[in-house]
Amino acid sequence: MSDAIKAATLEYATRLGDDSVVLGHRISEWVSYGPFLEEDIAYGNVALDYIGRARMFYTYAAELADDGRTEDDFAYMRSDREYRNLLLMEMPKGDFAYSQVRQLFADAYYTLVLPELLQSKDETLSAIAAKGIKETKYHLRRSRDWVLRLGDGTEESHKRTQKAVDALWGYTHEMFDMDETEQMLADAGIAVDVSKLRDAWHKMVSDVLIEATLTVPEDSWAVRGGRTGYHTENLGHMLTEMQITHRSYPGCQW
């Protein structure tokens, strides 16, 4: 592996880890607040799936960095400006409809991305994808069922779900952007060229929204910046809570 490819793969693994840990933490915020017990347990399980995926990406990033850092350093010792997650993942949990719509968008994305990452020439990234594919099938089935239930439910649930779709749609465009780092890795057969997945994602999500009697928004606005460290204020507040124990007691073990 050349130095340029190694550095780019480190950045790529960190980005994927950031996406997973941030979304995993957001999902975990629903634990003990679910609408009923079974759903409360389901939220915890989905959150753990994403946190587990983040650990694998961060462990690989630490291996590539080879500078003494561990997975904990990547998760807990970086500021919001050093995080490279997609903005969609850091949006606050909102109400139940908001979280389920965000989850549908993310699950549809991973349903397309992970099978492509499975084909990566990087054996570690491919192995992480292989584990995540099975989880994502369940995640998508669950978020799809909830969006259908809420969108085609009561007048109130429909209104809240449509509001969530409209509020989050502009954050989805960033998911399919390619910069020089990812393009170089895609050309080398290591990363996924997500720009090629936009149409399939749009159809998958649109089909669910239409079945749920919801309106698919126009592409009238878009917000970007997560991959370059420009985030909403929501990430800073989330990291303050997520990192407080580790930063207060650095090096502590139990």
Side-chain angles (χ1 to χ4, degrees):
M1 184 184 294
S2 69
D3 289 343
I5 291 293
K6 185 176 182 180
T9 305
L10 166 59
E11 172 69 16
Y12 187 58
T14 303
R15 292 178 181 187
L16 298 179
D18 290 348
D19 289 339
S20 295
V21 80
V22 171
L23 183 55
H25 188 85
R26 281 299 186 215
I27 298 169
S28 76
E29 293 175 341
W30 276 102
V31 174
S32 80
Y33 292 96
F36 48 82
L37 182 59
E38 183 179 1
E39 184 59 26
D40 201 78
I41 296 171
Y43 258 123
N45 288 333
V46 174
L48 286 172
D49 288 342
Y50 277 99
I51 298 301
R53 195 180 303 170
R55 290 190 63 186
M56 290 187 284
F57 283 126
Y58 284 156
T59 297
Y60 186 39
E63 178 185 324
L64 291 169
D66 193 24
D67 57 6
R69 284 183 291 172
T70 68
E71 62 183 78
D72 287 343
D73 293 306
F74 280 88
Y76 299 121
M77 300 303 292
R78 290 183 299 141
S79 70
D80 56 341
R81 288 299 301 274
E82 295 173 291
Y83 262 68
R84 295 294 185 263
N85 59 278
L86 297 167
L87 297 177
L88 177 70
M89 311 306 184
E90 72 193 47
M91 293 297 105
K93 72 182 180 69
D95 61 19
F96 192 70
Y98 188 95
S99 280
Q100 292 302 338
V101 169
R102 187 247 304 277
Q103 200 62 42
L104 173 67
F105 291 171
D107 293 340
Y109 174 75
Y110 284 118
T111 296
L112 297 169
V113 168
L114 292 180
E116 295 295 322
L117 189 61
L118 181 65
Q119 307 303 317
S120 174
K121 293 181 179 179
D122 187 298
E123 294 181 358
T124 301
L125 294 176
S126 178
I128 295 172
K131 186 177 187 304
I133 287 173
K134 292 181 179 180
E135 299 168 346
T136 299
K137 289 180 180 178
Y138 160 74
H139 297 164
L140 179 60
R141 184 171 70 246
R142 175 178 166 273
S143 59
R144 177 185 182 277
D145 288 349
W146 268 115
V147 170
L148 291 175
R149 184 174 178 180
L150 295 169
D152 197 21
T154 66
E155 181 180 348
E156 180 67 16
S157 72
H158 176 90
K159 181 178 71 174
R160 287 176 179 247
T161 308
Q162 185 65 61
K163 181 179 179 181
V165 170
D166 295 340
L168 291 168
W169 193 258
Y171 294 100
T172 64
H173 305 286
E174 181 187 39
M175 299 192 297
F176 305 99
D177 290 343
M178 295 286 289
D179 63 7
E180 291 183 6
T181 296
E182 293 192 16
Q183 191 61 61
M184 177 175 65
L185 291 177
D187 292 342
I190 295 173
V192 177
D193 187 343
V194 291
S195 66
K196 297 178 180 179
L197 305 179
R198 169 72 185 183
D199 290 345
W201 178 90
H202 191 281
K203 183 181 187 308
M204 185 184 301
V205 170
S206 296
D207 286 349
V208 177
L209 297 181
I210 292 169
E211 186 177 349
T213 70
L214 297 165
T215 301
V216 179
E218 298 290 335
D219 293 331
S220 58
W221 63 282
V223 182
R224 294 174 168 88
R227 290 301 195 221
T228 54
Y230 288 92
H231 296 279
T232 68
E233 70 277 10
N234 301 296
L235 181 63
H237 295 312
M238 192 207 86
L239 291 180
T240 298
E241 179 180 290
M242 189 182 90
Q243 297 177 340
I244 182 63
T245 300
H246 190 88
R247 287 180 177 268
S248 297
Y249 305 96
C252 181
Q253 297 182 0
W254 59 85

